[in-house]
Amino acid sequence: MAIVIVGASLAGANAAETLRSEGYQKEIIMIGDEPDPPYERPPLSKGYLLGNQELDEAFVHPMEWYREHTIDLRLSTSVTALDVGDKRVRLSSGERIGYDKLLLATGARPRPVDVGGARYLRDIRDSKALKSLLTAGTDVAVIGAGWIGLEVTAAARTHGAEVSVVETDSLPLRRVLGDELAAFYRDVHADKGVAFHFGRTVTSSDGASVTLDDGTSVPADVVLAGVGVSPCTELAADAGLEVDNGIVVSESLQTSAPDVYACGDAANWFNPLIGARMRVEHWENARQGGMVAARAMLGQQVSYDWIPYFYSDQYDVGMEYSGWVGPGGYDRVVIRGSMDSREFIAFWVKDSRVLAGMNVNVWDVQDDIRALIKAGYADGATVDLAKLADGEAALDTSLIA
Ligand SMILES: Cc1cc2nc3c(=O)[nH]c(=O)nc-3n(C[C@H](O)[C@H](O)[C@H](O)COP(=O)(O)OP(=O)(O)OC[C@H]3O[C@@H](n4cnc5c(N)ncnc54)[C@H](O)[C@@H]3O)c2cc1C
């Protein structure tokens, strides 16, 4: 019997690594339906797509690492069924494997759009294909002004392509960042010559242009859809596990079935620090969640009380964001620094508690931002808002009122 990990992913690889570093010596089998060993996806829309990062750098470990750590890595293989009664999974090869503990790290896949010829960006093959198309003079239409859409936009403009972004909302990233910071990202792209079509959708494509729902025709040799992802939950749902916007897990990442755990993009977990259920589609959640799930599978008492974190790079604008703000969950945004010079920290605040913070082209401040957020959630700590906005005041817990 073994620990079986479904998804040769960032989360799965971090779980396997933690199992070994915590001293687990029995069999680990990791099964992934992609042909590549676990890799990090962020370069697919940034460094690799821009042509300044090699793909090799994206792999979590080289292949030898899995052999050295006796991890039985089975690639190009799907898990097609899960029997939680018999504690077995069935593989696309027909083989059945028993498990002591099972980790579902199945990730997410892009939501489809009903536009012929639209491309998506999730895996290495998508990125390679897209990269070959982003050349000077190419017309690119991006459907959806979320993180993936905007990062592809930045890469395409950097390659010299002409880019139009079609977005149903009135600003990019509005649901994540709110109006104030969404307008900032609109301006970053507009300054680079990106044409935005807000409040619109694409209804059709003919290979050279797309038509919008108001009849406008927009040139488009390439159509890239980035309208969000859906968690890969079929395996769990078919096995009778509780699924609701992801595989539902406890604060120790345990599913509704005994000895079955889930983490990463696929999991909807209860975060005891924030006091809410959440499903997070970001790199650091895959890393942290994989580590916590491994410890949980080893029987350790764990509580995944982690503050969500992510980052994005677009042109020369780099950012990191920590925190959790539900829709309409903040009453003001406090800015420390200068948005005009594109070097600032934005704080989302409610009743003088810091819920989230985003540093833009300002570095080495995440630990301090996270300490303020943690104090707000754990102890209800409020901060002095004038000092929070004052770049001369120390950015630490002395801001707590
Ligand atoms: C282009 C791109 C750029 C990104 N940039 C950033 C960024 O800048 N910052 C950030 O924080 N996050 C970023 N992300 C998000 C981040 O990459 C994801 O949150 C992370 O990959 C999630 O890891 P995961 O291990 O949960 O799942 P995934 O990476 O989705 O891996 C799951 C794996 O499981 C496989 N699988 C699913 N079902 C089965 C099955 N039944 N049998 C076998 N295998 C199966 C899937 O094919 C996949 O290989 C980016 C994502 C993309 C696509």
Side-chain angles (χ1 to χ4, degrees), residues 148-201:
I148 299 287
L150 292 185
E151 288 185 357
V152 170
T153 297
R157 285 298 295 138
T158 306
H159 281 293
E162 302 298 324
V163 187
S164 304
V165 177
V166 183
E167 164 60 49
T168 51
D169 210 339
S170 53
L171 285 169
L173 300 168
R174 204 173 69 89
R175 282 179 294 273
V176 195
L177 299 181
D179 287 345
E180 303 84 346
L181 275 299
F184 169 79
Y185 272 100
R186 174 200 58 203
D187 295 346
V188 165
H189 286 274
D191 287 355
K192 295 286 183 183
V194 172
F196 280 107
H197 299 267
F198 291 118
R200 302 265 69 94
T201 58

Short mmCIF file of all heavy atoms in Angstrom, two decimals, residues 148-201:
data_model
loop_
_atom_site.label_atom_id
_atom_site.label_comp_id
_atom_site.label_asym_id
_atom_site.label_seq_id
_atom_site.Cartn_x
_atom_site.Cartn_y
_atom_site.Cartn_z
N ILE A 148 -4.44 36.12 -16.32
CA ILE A 148 -3.85 35.43 -17.48
C ILE A 148 -4.00 36.30 -18.72
O ILE A 148 -3.04 36.50 -19.48
CB ILE A 148 -4.54 34.06 -17.71
CG1 ILE A 148 -4.34 33.15 -16.50
CG2 ILE A 148 -4.05 33.40 -19.00
CD1 ILE A 148 -2.96 32.60 -16.33
N GLY A 149 -5.20 36.85 -18.93
CA GLY A 149 -5.43 37.68 -20.11
C GLY A 149 -4.48 38.88 -20.14
O GLY A 149 -3.90 39.20 -21.19
N LEU A 150 -4.29 39.51 -19.00
CA LEU A 150 -3.44 40.71 -18.98
C LEU A 150 -1.96 40.36 -19.11
O LEU A 150 -1.19 41.10 -19.73
CB LEU A 150 -3.68 41.51 -17.70
CG LEU A 150 -5.06 42.18 -17.58
CD1 LEU A 150 -5.12 43.04 -16.34
CD2 LEU A 150 -5.41 43.01 -18.81
N GLU A 151 -1.55 39.22 -18.55
CA GLU A 151 -0.14 38.84 -18.71
C GLU A 151 0.15 38.46 -20.17
O GLU A 151 1.21 38.79 -20.70
CB GLU A 151 0.21 37.70 -17.75
CG GLU A 151 0.27 38.20 -16.31
CD GLU A 151 0.73 37.18 -15.30
OE1 GLU A 151 0.97 36.01 -15.68
OE2 GLU A 151 0.84 37.54 -14.12
N VAL A 152 -0.79 37.78 -20.80
CA VAL A 152 -0.61 37.48 -22.23
C VAL A 152 -0.60 38.78 -23.03
O VAL A 152 0.20 38.95 -23.96
CB VAL A 152 -1.71 36.53 -22.74
CG1 VAL A 152 -1.66 36.40 -24.26
CG2 VAL A 152 -1.55 35.15 -22.09
N THR A 153 -1.46 39.70 -22.66
CA THR A 153 -1.49 41.01 -23.33
C THR A 153 -0.12 41.68 -23.25
O THR A 153 0.42 42.17 -24.26
CB THR A 153 -2.56 41.91 -22.68
OG1 THR A 153 -3.83 41.30 -22.88
CG2 THR A 153 -2.56 43.30 -23.24
N ALA A 154 0.46 41.68 -22.04
CA ALA A 154 1.77 42.32 -21.86
C ALA A 154 2.84 41.61 -22.70
O ALA A 154 3.67 42.27 -23.35
CB ALA A 154 2.15 42.31 -20.38
N ALA A 155 2.80 40.27 -22.69
CA ALA A 155 3.81 39.53 -23.48
C ALA A 155 3.62 39.81 -24.97
O ALA A 155 4.60 40.02 -25.71
CB ALA A 155 3.69 38.03 -23.19
N ALA A 156 2.38 39.82 -25.41
CA ALA A 156 2.11 40.04 -26.83
C ALA A 156 2.55 41.43 -27.27
O ALA A 156 3.18 41.60 -28.33
CB ALA A 156 0.62 39.85 -27.11
N ARG A 157 2.26 42.43 -26.45
CA ARG A 157 2.70 43.80 -26.80
C ARG A 157 4.22 43.88 -26.82
O ARG A 157 4.81 44.54 -27.67
CB ARG A 157 2.15 44.83 -25.78
CG ARG A 157 0.69 45.15 -25.91
CD ARG A 157 0.32 45.78 -27.25
NE ARG A 157 0.89 47.09 -27.50
CZ ARG A 157 1.42 47.49 -28.66
NH1 ARG A 157 1.49 46.67 -29.69
NH2 ARG A 157 1.89 48.72 -28.79
N THR A 158 4.85 43.19 -25.86
CA THR A 158 6.32 43.20 -25.81
C THR A 158 6.91 42.56 -27.06
O THR A 158 7.96 42.97 -27.55
CB THR A 158 6.80 42.49 -24.52
OG1 THR A 158 6.15 43.10 -23.40
CG2 THR A 158 8.31 42.59 -24.34
N HIS A 159 6.21 41.56 -27.61
CA HIS A 159 6.65 40.94 -28.87
C HIS A 159 6.28 41.79 -30.09
O HIS A 159 6.57 41.42 -31.22
CB HIS A 159 5.99 39.56 -29.04
CG HIS A 159 6.65 38.47 -28.23
ND1 HIS A 159 7.92 38.03 -28.47
CD2 HIS A 159 6.20 37.73 -27.19
CE1 HIS A 159 8.23 37.06 -27.61
NE2 HIS A 159 7.21 36.86 -26.82
N GLY A 160 5.54 42.89 -29.87
CA GLY A 160 5.21 43.78 -30.98
C GLY A 160 3.86 43.52 -31.61
O GLY A 160 3.52 44.12 -32.64
N ALA A 161 3.08 42.59 -31.02
CA ALA A 161 1.74 42.33 -31.56
C ALA A 161 0.79 43.47 -31.19
O ALA A 161 1.02 44.19 -30.22
CB ALA A 161 1.22 41.00 -31.02
N GLU A 162 -0.28 43.62 -31.97
CA GLU A 162 -1.34 44.58 -31.64
C GLU A 162 -2.38 43.83 -30.81
O GLU A 162 -2.80 42.74 -31.20
CB GLU A 162 -2.01 45.11 -32.91
CG GLU A 162 -1.06 45.79 -33.88
CD GLU A 162 -0.40 47.02 -33.27
OE1 GLU A 162 -1.07 47.73 -32.50
OE2 GLU A 162 0.80 47.26 -33.55
N VAL A 163 -2.80 44.41 -29.68
CA VAL A 163 -3.69 43.65 -28.79
C VAL A 163 -4.97 44.41 -28.49
O VAL A 163 -4.94 45.59 -28.12
CB VAL A 163 -2.99 43.29 -27.46
CG1 VAL A 163 -3.88 42.36 -26.63
CG2 VAL A 163 -1.63 42.64 -27.69
N SER A 164 -6.10 43.70 -28.64
CA SER A 164 -7.39 44.21 -28.19
C SER A 164 -7.87 43.29 -27.07
O SER A 164 -7.79 42.07 -27.19
CB SER A 164 -8.43 44.15 -29.32
OG SER A 164 -7.95 44.85 -30.45
N VAL A 165 -8.36 43.89 -26.00
CA VAL A 165 -8.86 43.11 -24.87
C VAL A 165 -10.36 43.34 -24.75
O VAL A 165 -10.81 44.49 -24.69
CB VAL A 165 -8.16 43.52 -23.55
CG1 VAL A 165 -8.73 42.75 -22.37
CG2 VAL A 165 -6.65 43.29 -23.64
N VAL A 166 -11.11 42.25 -24.75
CA VAL A 166 -12.58 42.33 -24.68
C VAL A 166 -13.00 41.81 -23.30
O VAL A 166 -12.68 40.68 -22.93
CB VAL A 166 -13.22 41.48 -25.79
CG1 VAL A 166 -14.74 41.63 -25.76
CG2 VAL A 166 -12.66 41.87 -27.16
N GLU A 167 -13.71 42.65 -22.56
CA GLU A 167 -14.03 42.31 -21.17
C GLU A 167 -15.48 42.73 -20.88
O GLU A 167 -15.87 43.84 -21.20
CB GLU A 167 -13.03 43.06 -20.25
CG GLU A 167 -13.39 43.17 -18.80
CD GLU A 167 -13.56 41.84 -18.09
OE1 GLU A 167 -12.67 40.98 -18.21
OE2 GLU A 167 -14.59 41.65 -17.40
N THR A 168 -16.24 41.83 -20.25
CA THR A 168 -17.64 42.14 -19.95
C THR A 168 -17.78 43.23 -18.89
O THR A 168 -18.74 43.99 -18.89
CB THR A 168 -18.39 40.88 -19.46
OG1 THR A 168 -17.63 40.29 -18.42
CG2 THR A 168 -18.61 39.88 -20.57
N ASP A 169 -16.82 43.28 -17.97
CA ASP A 169 -16.89 44.25 -16.88
C ASP A 169 -16.43 45.63 -17.38
O ASP A 169 -16.00 45.78 -18.53
CB ASP A 169 -16.01 43.75 -15.72
CG ASP A 169 -16.51 44.20 -14.37
OD1 ASP A 169 -17.27 45.19 -14.32
OD2 ASP A 169 -16.14 43.58 -13.35
N SER A 170 -16.46 46.61 -16.47
CA SER A 170 -16.12 47.97 -16.88
C SER A 170 -14.63 48.28 -16.70
O SER A 170 -14.16 49.34 -17.14
CB SER A 170 -16.94 48.96 -16.06
OG SER A 170 -16.78 48.69 -14.68
N LEU A 171 -13.90 47.38 -16.07
CA LEU A 171 -12.46 47.56 -15.84
C LEU A 171 -11.80 46.19 -15.77
O LEU A 171 -12.47 45.20 -15.46
CB LEU A 171 -12.21 48.28 -14.50
CG LEU A 171 -12.50 49.79 -14.43
CD1 LEU A 171 -12.44 50.24 -12.97
CD2 LEU A 171 -11.50 50.58 -15.27
N PRO A 172 -10.48 46.11 -15.99
CA PRO A 172 -9.82 44.83 -15.79
C PRO A 172 -9.71 44.51 -14.30
O PRO A 172 -9.64 45.43 -13.48
CB PRO A 172 -8.42 45.06 -16.39
CG PRO A 172 -8.19 46.52 -16.28
CD PRO A 172 -9.55 47.17 -16.41
N LEU A 173 -9.73 43.25 -13.95
CA LEU A 173 -9.43 42.78 -12.58
C LEU A 173 -10.33 43.40 -11.51
O LEU A 173 -9.97 43.42 -10.34
CB LEU A 173 -7.96 43.11 -12.22
CG LEU A 173 -6.89 42.47 -13.11
CD1 LEU A 173 -5.54 43.11 -12.82
CD2 LEU A 173 -6.83 40.98 -12.89
N ARG A 174 -11.48 43.94 -11.92
CA ARG A 174 -12.28 44.72 -10.96
C ARG A 174 -12.79 43.86 -9.80
O ARG A 174 -12.84 44.31 -8.66
CB ARG A 174 -13.46 45.38 -11.69
CG ARG A 174 -13.99 46.61 -10.97
CD ARG A 174 -15.03 47.29 -11.82
NE ARG A 174 -16.22 46.48 -11.92
CZ ARG A 174 -17.23 46.54 -11.06
NH1 ARG A 174 -17.19 47.40 -10.07
NH2 ARG A 174 -18.28 45.77 -11.22
N ARG A 175 -13.17 42.61 -10.13
CA ARG A 175 -13.72 41.76 -9.06
C ARG A 175 -12.66 41.41 -8.02
O ARG A 175 -12.98 41.18 -6.87
CB ARG A 175 -14.33 40.48 -9.65
CG ARG A 175 -15.70 40.73 -10.28
CD ARG A 175 -16.28 39.46 -10.87
NE ARG A 175 -15.49 38.99 -12.00
CZ ARG A 175 -15.67 39.40 -13.26
NH1 ARG A 175 -16.61 40.27 -13.55
NH2 ARG A 175 -14.92 38.93 -14.23
N VAL A 176 -11.39 41.38 -8.42
CA VAL A 176 -10.32 41.04 -7.47
C VAL A 176 -9.81 42.27 -6.74
O VAL A 176 -9.58 42.24 -5.53
CB VAL A 176 -9.10 40.43 -8.21
CG1 VAL A 176 -8.17 39.73 -7.24
CG2 VAL A 176 -9.51 39.51 -9.31
N LEU A 177 -9.64 43.37 -7.48
CA LEU A 177 -8.93 44.52 -6.91
C LEU A 177 -9.84 45.69 -6.54
O LEU A 177 -9.40 46.59 -5.82
CB LEU A 177 -7.87 45.02 -7.90
CG LEU A 177 -6.77 44.03 -8.29
CD1 LEU A 177 -5.78 44.68 -9.25
CD2 LEU A 177 -6.02 43.52 -7.04
N GLY A 178 -11.08 45.69 -7.02
CA GLY A 178 -11.93 46.86 -6.81
C GLY A 178 -11.60 47.95 -7.82
O GLY A 178 -10.59 47.87 -8.54
N ASP A 179 -12.43 49.00 -7.86
CA ASP A 179 -12.32 50.03 -8.90
C ASP A 179 -10.97 50.74 -8.91
O ASP A 179 -10.39 50.99 -9.97
CB ASP A 179 -13.42 51.09 -8.72
CG ASP A 179 -14.78 50.54 -9.12
OD1 ASP A 179 -14.82 49.49 -9.78
OD2 ASP A 179 -15.79 51.17 -8.75
N GLU A 180 -10.47 51.07 -7.70
CA GLU A 180 -9.28 51.93 -7.63
C GLU A 180 -8.08 51.29 -8.31
O GLU A 180 -7.41 51.92 -9.15
CB GLU A 180 -8.93 52.23 -6.16
CG GLU A 180 -10.05 52.88 -5.34
CD GLU A 180 -11.05 51.90 -4.76
OE1 GLU A 180 -11.07 50.72 -5.17
OE2 GLU A 180 -11.85 52.32 -3.90
N LEU A 181 -7.78 50.07 -7.95
CA LEU A 181 -6.58 49.42 -8.49
C LEU A 181 -6.83 48.83 -9.87
O LEU A 181 -5.90 48.67 -10.67
CB LEU A 181 -6.07 48.37 -7.51
CG LEU A 181 -5.15 48.91 -6.40
CD1 LEU A 181 -3.91 49.56 -7.01
CD2 LEU A 181 -5.84 49.92 -5.50
N ALA A 182 -8.10 48.54 -10.17
CA ALA A 182 -8.43 48.06 -11.51
C ALA A 182 -8.14 49.17 -12.53
O ALA A 182 -7.59 48.92 -13.61
CB ALA A 182 -9.89 47.64 -11.58
N ALA A 183 -8.46 50.39 -12.16
CA ALA A 183 -8.19 51.53 -13.06
C ALA A 183 -6.69 51.68 -13.28
O ALA A 183 -6.23 52.04 -14.38
CB ALA A 183 -8.79 52.81 -12.47
N PHE A 184 -5.92 51.41 -12.23
CA PHE A 184 -4.45 51.46 -12.37
C PHE A 184 -3.99 50.49 -13.46
O PHE A 184 -3.22 50.87 -14.36
CB PHE A 184 -3.81 51.13 -11.02
CG PHE A 184 -2.32 50.90 -11.10
CD1 PHE A 184 -1.45 51.98 -11.17
CD2 PHE A 184 -1.80 49.62 -11.11
CE1 PHE A 184 -0.08 51.76 -11.26
CE2 PHE A 184 -0.43 49.41 -11.20
CZ PHE A 184 0.44 50.48 -11.27
N TYR A 185 -4.49 49.25 -13.42
CA TYR A 185 -4.05 48.27 -14.41
C TYR A 185 -4.57 48.60 -15.82
O TYR A 185 -3.89 48.34 -16.81
CB TYR A 185 -4.45 46.84 -13.98
CG TYR A 185 -3.37 46.23 -13.11
CD1 TYR A 185 -3.49 46.20 -11.74
CD2 TYR A 185 -2.20 45.75 -13.69
CE1 TYR A 185 -2.47 45.68 -10.95
CE2 TYR A 185 -1.18 45.23 -12.91
CZ TYR A 185 -1.32 45.19 -11.55
OH TYR A 185 -0.30 44.69 -10.79
N ARG A 186 -5.76 49.20 -15.89
CA ARG A 186 -6.23 49.65 -17.21
C ARG A 186 -5.24 50.65 -17.79
O ARG A 186 -4.84 50.54 -18.96
CB ARG A 186 -7.61 50.31 -17.07
CG ARG A 186 -8.11 50.94 -18.37
CD ARG A 186 -9.18 51.98 -18.09
NE ARG A 186 -8.67 53.03 -17.19
CZ ARG A 186 -9.42 53.82 -16.42
NH1 ARG A 186 -10.72 53.68 -16.45
NH2 ARG A 186 -8.88 54.74 -15.62
N ASP A 187 -4.79 51.61 -16.97
CA ASP A 187 -3.89 52.65 -17.46
C ASP A 187 -2.53 52.08 -17.85
O ASP A 187 -1.92 52.53 -18.83
CB ASP A 187 -3.73 53.74 -16.39
CG ASP A 187 -5.05 54.46 -16.13
OD1 ASP A 187 -5.99 54.28 -16.94
OD2 ASP A 187 -5.16 55.17 -15.10
N VAL A 188 -2.05 51.10 -17.07
CA VAL A 188 -0.75 50.47 -17.40
C VAL A 188 -0.80 49.93 -18.83
O VAL A 188 0.12 50.15 -19.63
CB VAL A 188 -0.44 49.33 -16.40
CG1 VAL A 188 0.68 48.43 -16.92
CG2 VAL A 188 -0.08 49.90 -15.02
N HIS A 189 -1.89 49.26 -19.17
CA HIS A 189 -1.99 48.65 -20.51
C HIS A 189 -2.34 49.67 -21.59
O HIS A 189 -1.82 49.60 -22.71
CB HIS A 189 -3.01 47.51 -20.49
CG HIS A 189 -2.48 46.30 -19.78
ND1 HIS A 189 -1.73 45.34 -20.42
CD2 HIS A 189 -2.55 45.92 -18.49
CE1 HIS A 189 -1.37 44.41 -19.54
NE2 HIS A 189 -1.86 44.74 -18.36
N ALA A 190 -3.22 50.61 -21.24
CA ALA A 190 -3.60 51.63 -22.24
C ALA A 190 -2.35 52.42 -22.65
O ALA A 190 -2.18 52.74 -23.83
CB ALA A 190 -4.68 52.54 -21.67
N ASP A 191 -1.47 52.69 -21.69
CA ASP A 191 -0.23 53.42 -22.00
C ASP A 191 0.66 52.65 -22.97
O ASP A 191 1.52 53.24 -23.63
CB ASP A 191 0.58 53.69 -20.72
CG ASP A 191 -0.06 54.78 -19.87
OD1 ASP A 191 -1.06 55.37 -20.33
OD2 ASP A 191 0.42 55.01 -18.74
N LYS A 192 0.49 51.35 -23.02
CA LYS A 192 1.28 50.52 -23.94
C LYS A 192 0.56 50.31 -25.27
O LYS A 192 0.95 49.49 -26.09
CB LYS A 192 1.58 49.14 -23.31
CG LYS A 192 2.46 49.22 -22.07
CD LYS A 192 3.90 49.51 -22.44
CE LYS A 192 4.78 49.50 -21.19
NZ LYS A 192 6.18 49.85 -21.49
N GLY A 193 -0.57 50.99 -25.44
CA GLY A 193 -1.27 50.93 -26.72
C GLY A 193 -2.27 49.80 -26.85
O GLY A 193 -2.68 49.46 -27.97
N VAL A 194 -2.69 49.23 -25.72
CA VAL A 194 -3.69 48.16 -25.77
C VAL A 194 -5.08 48.80 -25.94
O VAL A 194 -5.40 49.79 -25.28
CB VAL A 194 -3.65 47.33 -24.46
CG1 VAL A 194 -4.81 46.34 -24.39
CG2 VAL A 194 -2.30 46.62 -24.35
N ALA A 195 -5.88 48.21 -26.83
CA ALA A 195 -7.25 48.71 -27.04
C ALA A 195 -8.21 47.89 -26.18
O ALA A 195 -8.28 46.67 -26.33
CB ALA A 195 -7.63 48.57 -28.51
N PHE A 196 -8.92 48.53 -25.28
CA PHE A 196 -9.89 47.82 -24.43
C PHE A 196 -11.29 47.97 -24.99
O PHE A 196 -11.67 49.04 -25.48
CB PHE A 196 -9.87 48.39 -23.01
CG PHE A 196 -8.73 47.90 -22.15
CD1 PHE A 196 -7.66 48.73 -21.85
CD2 PHE A 196 -8.73 46.60 -21.65
CE1 PHE A 196 -6.61 48.28 -21.06
CE2 PHE A 196 -7.69 46.14 -20.85
CZ PHE A 196 -6.62 46.98 -20.56
N HIS A 197 -12.07 46.90 -24.90
CA HIS A 197 -13.50 46.94 -25.22
C HIS A 197 -14.23 46.46 -23.98
O HIS A 197 -14.42 45.25 -23.78
CB HIS A 197 -13.80 46.03 -26.42
CG HIS A 197 -13.08 46.45 -27.67
ND1 HIS A 197 -13.64 47.29 -28.60
CD2 HIS A 197 -11.84 46.17 -28.11
CE1 HIS A 197 -12.77 47.51 -29.57
NE2 HIS A 197 -11.67 46.84 -29.30
N PHE A 198 -14.60 47.39 -23.11
CA PHE A 198 -15.27 47.02 -21.86
C PHE A 198 -16.77 46.88 -22.08
O PHE A 198 -17.36 47.52 -22.97
CB PHE A 198 -15.01 48.08 -20.79
CG PHE A 198 -13.58 48.09 -20.32
CD1 PHE A 198 -12.79 49.23 -20.49
CD2 PHE A 198 -13.01 46.97 -19.72
CE1 PHE A 198 -11.46 49.24 -20.07
CE2 PHE A 198 -11.69 46.98 -19.29
CZ PHE A 198 -10.92 48.12 -19.47
N GLY A 199 -17.39 46.06 -21.25
CA GLY A 199 -18.84 45.85 -21.35
C GLY A 199 -19.24 45.06 -22.58
O GLY A 199 -20.40 45.08 -22.98
N ARG A 200 -18.30 44.34 -23.16
CA ARG A 200 -18.56 43.61 -24.42
C ARG A 200 -18.13 42.16 -24.30
O ARG A 200 -17.30 41.80 -23.48
CB ARG A 200 -17.79 44.23 -25.60
CG ARG A 200 -18.07 45.70 -25.87
CD ARG A 200 -19.15 45.86 -26.96
NE ARG A 200 -20.46 45.46 -26.55
CZ ARG A 200 -21.40 46.28 -26.06
NH1 ARG A 200 -21.16 47.55 -25.90
NH2 ARG A 200 -22.58 45.82 -25.74
N THR A 201 -18.72 41.32 -25.16
CA THR A 201 -18.26 39.94 -25.31
C THR A 201 -17.98 39.68 -26.79
O THR A 201 -18.41 40.46 -27.65
CB THR A 201 -19.32 38.91 -24.84
OG1 THR A 201 -20.49 39.14 -25.61
CG2 THR A 201 -19.62 39.02 -23.38
#
